[in-house]
Amino acid sequence: MTTRTRILTGITTTGTPHLGNYAGAIRPAILASQDANADSFYFLADYHALIKCDDPQRIQRSRMEIAATWLAGGLDVNRVTFYRQSDIPEIPELTWLLTCVAAKGLLNRAHAYKASVDKNVEAGEAPDAGISMGLYSYPVLMAADILMFNAHKVPVGRDQIQHVEMARDIGQRFNHLFGNGKEFFTMPEALIEESVATLPGLDGRKMSKSYDNTIPLFTSAKDMKDAISRIVTDSRAPGEAKDPDNSHLFTLFQAFASKAQEQEFRADLLQGLGWGEAKSRLFQLLDSQLSEPRERYHQLMSRPSDMEDLLLIGAKKARAVAAPFLAELREAVGLRSFVNQAAAPVAAKKKAAKAARFVSFREDDGSFRFRLLSADGEQLLLSRNFADGKAAGAVTKQLQSGDALDVRTEATGFSVWLDGAAVADSAEFADETSRDAAIAALRVALTPIED
């Protein structure tokens, strides 16, 4: 069986996506998510945003704009796990577990922290003036983002490679201290896409909000056209040959054009195409590709409840992986239940067993089914269809009898069998570790109550 590569990407929610974000990160990530062998996790890094921004309205607006941009750009939430970082409470808890093993000397070497210290020293300030623990601990939170889902590949810019390396260091330290021969954390690798475009802005420098040289992505066609008209070009008049290789207008065109369109545009510039006409062609190219996503974007922004629903579904998928894994990590470091030890009193076992419950229901076709729910309401099993309620009830009674469970695994799910027939199934889990944790939870839930 082919091993699926788990890829994780986060975008900090502090601004409005522009054309450079789309070409450099969002579009290639959406294309990568369509790989059948990829297991993709995409998240809104809103905890990270708090490090950089103290404007609540800006953060809230950015979260919506970035979510809408991903969805309008074609991200298929049925193929990927798309969630807000702040909807996963296991992430800050893992951050603390990792903080307790992360070396201060390692964090002292983080580029962002060192740059802030150097800036303070140059200005004659105290080295740590204005530096928050959020900024200092940023690499640990990023390590938790990555290690929580045991990502194999993390697409990052070159300035973020160090953070992926630090996640490896911290994960290895945890494995060494608490693993007892078990490797809890996969060692992630930074994925640098050399072919991904770094788009120039209006003035030729890298497109960036900090340079105020961006081209808006989904605000309106008029705003995009106005921005394109401000692209700085040389003074060559219409009829004079232009140099495509030294024109950032051509670089922008190239990032969105087919090979044939690129070659035609290059030839026309060499033949003396005027800059005004060139800008018009760039707008037409971009508008032809972005008008439909732009319309979807504005629909999404007008219906925030639709995005909320999708993100909560994504959070549930993410937590199906995170919650059982964090339970393992808590056990490893000694944060264990007093009642789930090998020698736990019978009374405690009784209480745990009573917490799970069967819920029967009738389908539209008249057949009967049941769910087995855990103490916190999570579905452990969903039965097959039965002709009548009596047959369904007999199966639930047999499952509670204390007889050995016949659990059969298949890929990342499992089914329960009685008398040679499958009677109930689990959900599909993100990986075999999550599946096995669910089987363990099922066995505990069906432990008979002794009087």
Side-chain angles (χ1 to χ4, degrees):
M1 187 174 73
T2 305
T3 302
R4 286 160 64 86
T5 300
R6 186 167 287 182
I7 300 171
L8 181 137
T9 300
I11 293 191
T12 306
T13 55
T14 53
T16 302
H18 54 68
L19 201 67
N21 301 139
Y22 180 73
I26 297 170
R27 183 178 62 176
I30 290 171
L31 290 172
S33 74
Q34 295 163 7
D35 181 351
N37 292 320
D39 188 12
S40 300
F41 285 67
Y42 296 125
F43 67 97
L44 307 179
D46 46 3
Y47 279 143
H48 287 292
L50 300 178
I51 298 168
K52 303 177 179 180
C53 179
D54 59 4
D55 181 347
Q57 283 72 34
R58 180 180 169 192
I59 286 175
Q60 174 66 349
R61 180 74 182 176
S62 178
R63 291 160 93 224
M64 290 177 60
E65 290 174 337
I66 291 174
T69 298
W70 279 90
L71 295 169
L75 186 69
D76 183 350
V77 295
N78 295 313
R79 295 180 66 104
V80 306
T81 304
F82 182 52
Y83 59 97
R84 282 176 299 223
Q85 187 185 31
S86 59
D87 284 336
I88 316 299
E90 291 79 11
I91 288 174
E93 184 167 355
L94 177 57
T95 300
W96 182 249
L97 298 186
L98 299 179
T99 298
C100 292
V101 303
K104 181 174 181 291
L106 181 69
L107 299 184
N108 287 343
R109 296 193 292 274
H111 296 325
Y113 171 65
K114 286 176 66 178
S116 295
V117 169
D118 291 344
K119 187 176 178 181
N120 282 337
V121 171
E122 281 180 26
E125 301 275 356
D128 286 329
I131 295 177
S132 69
M133 282 304 298
L135 173 65
Y136 184 74
S137 305
Y138 175 97
V140 188
L141 178 56
M142 186 165 170
D145 292 325
I146 297 167
L147 298 175
M148 174 59 78
F149 299 106
N150 278 315
H152 300 105
K153 304 283 187 184
V154 184
V156 291
R158 292 198 169 277
D159 59 334
Q160 291 284 321
I161 294 175
Q162 185 196 42
H163 289 141
V164 180
E165 292 171 344
M166 293 172 99
R168 292 173 62 93
D169 290 341
I170 295 168
Q172 284 174 332
R173 176 72 173 158
F174 188 99
N175 286 344
H176 174 72
L177 289 173
F178 302 110
N180 264 344
K182 179 175 181 176
E183 298 291 309
F184 284 109
F185 296 122
T186 299
M187 293 299 103
E189 294 180 17
L191 184 62
I192 307 299
E193 293 283 3
E194 300 291 359
S195 61
V196 170
T198 299
L199 290 193
L202 304 180
D203 57 3
R205 293 180 293 176
K206 176 184 174 182
M207 192 177 295
S208 170
K209 288 181 287 290
S210 60
Y211 294 148
D212 193 25
N213 67 351
T214 62
I215 296 176
L217 181 60
F218 290 146
T219 50
S220 72
K222 181 181 182 302
D223 287 346
M224 178 180 284
K225 191 169 188 177
D226 289 347
I228 290 171
S229 71
R230 298 196 305 273
I231 293 175
V232 176
T233 55
D234 62 33
S235 58
R236 296 180 199 184
E240 288 187 73
K242 315 296 189 294
D243 180 2
D245 296 324
N246 287 306
S247 163
H248 46 278
L249 190 150
F250 179 77
T251 303
L252 286 165
F253 189 95
Q254 191 176 35
F256 290 87
S258 67
K259 207 67 186 169
Q261 289 171 322
E262 176 191 334
Q263 289 171 351
E264 181 184 0
F265 193 55
R266 172 186 285 275
D268 288 346
L269 286 171
L270 290 170
Q271 290 296 316
L273 181 71
W275 287 124
E277 176 61 23
K279 290 176 181 181
S280 178
R281 285 203 204 174
L282 174 60
F283 169 74
Q284 290 165 15
L285 174 70
L286 294 175
D287 194 54
S288 67
Q289 294 186 25
L290 298 175
S291 59
E292 285 187 24
R294 184 191 300 126
E295 186 176 341
R296 289 197 297 270
Y297 173 86
H298 289 294
Q299 288 173 349
L300 287 161
M301 289 296 288
S302 69
R303 297 175 61 89
S305 60
D306 291 353
M307 290 193 286
E308 182 74 15
D309 290 344
L310 291 174
L311 285 163
L312 290 178
I313 291 169
K316 189 171 183 179
K317 286 168 66 176
R319 294 196 68 197
V321 178
F325 186 41
L326 186 68
E328 283 187 70
L329 300 177
R330 288 174 62 94
E331 181 83 11
V333 301
L335 303 180
R336 302 165 186 164
S337 167
F338 292 167
V339 297
N340 288 341
Q341 306 300 313
V346 170
K349 289 184 179 179
K350 285 183 183 179
K351 186 174 181 181
K354 287 179 181 177
R357 66 191 189 279
F358 285 93
V359 177
S360 299
F361 62 98
R362 191 170 187 172
E363 293 282 19
D364 292 341
D365 63 3
S367 64
F368 288 80
R369 302 178 80 179
F370 63 79
R371 292 185 176 91
L372 174 60
L373 304 179
S374 68
D376 58 5
E378 287 293 317
Q379 181 173 296
L380 299 175
L381 282 179
L382 174 62
S383 78
R384 302 284 175 95
N385 299 72
F386 296 94
D388 53 57
K390 187 176 179 180
V395 170
T396 62
K397 189 172 181 181
Q398 197 170 347
L399 289 175
Q400 296 174 89
S401 67
D403 293 343
L405 278 180
D406 182 1
V407 178
R408 305 185 187 183
T409 59
E410 182 176 348
T412 55
F414 63 86
S415 54
V416 175
W417 291 59
L418 290 175
D419 302 323
V423 295
D425 305 286
S426 73
E428 287 295 318
F429 297 93
D431 52 36
E432 293 178 359
T433 301
S434 303
R435 179 201 66 196
D436 294 345
I439 293 172
L442 174 66
R443 294 188 186 280
V444 170
L446 292 176
T447 301
I449 302 169
E450 299 175 8
D451 294 322

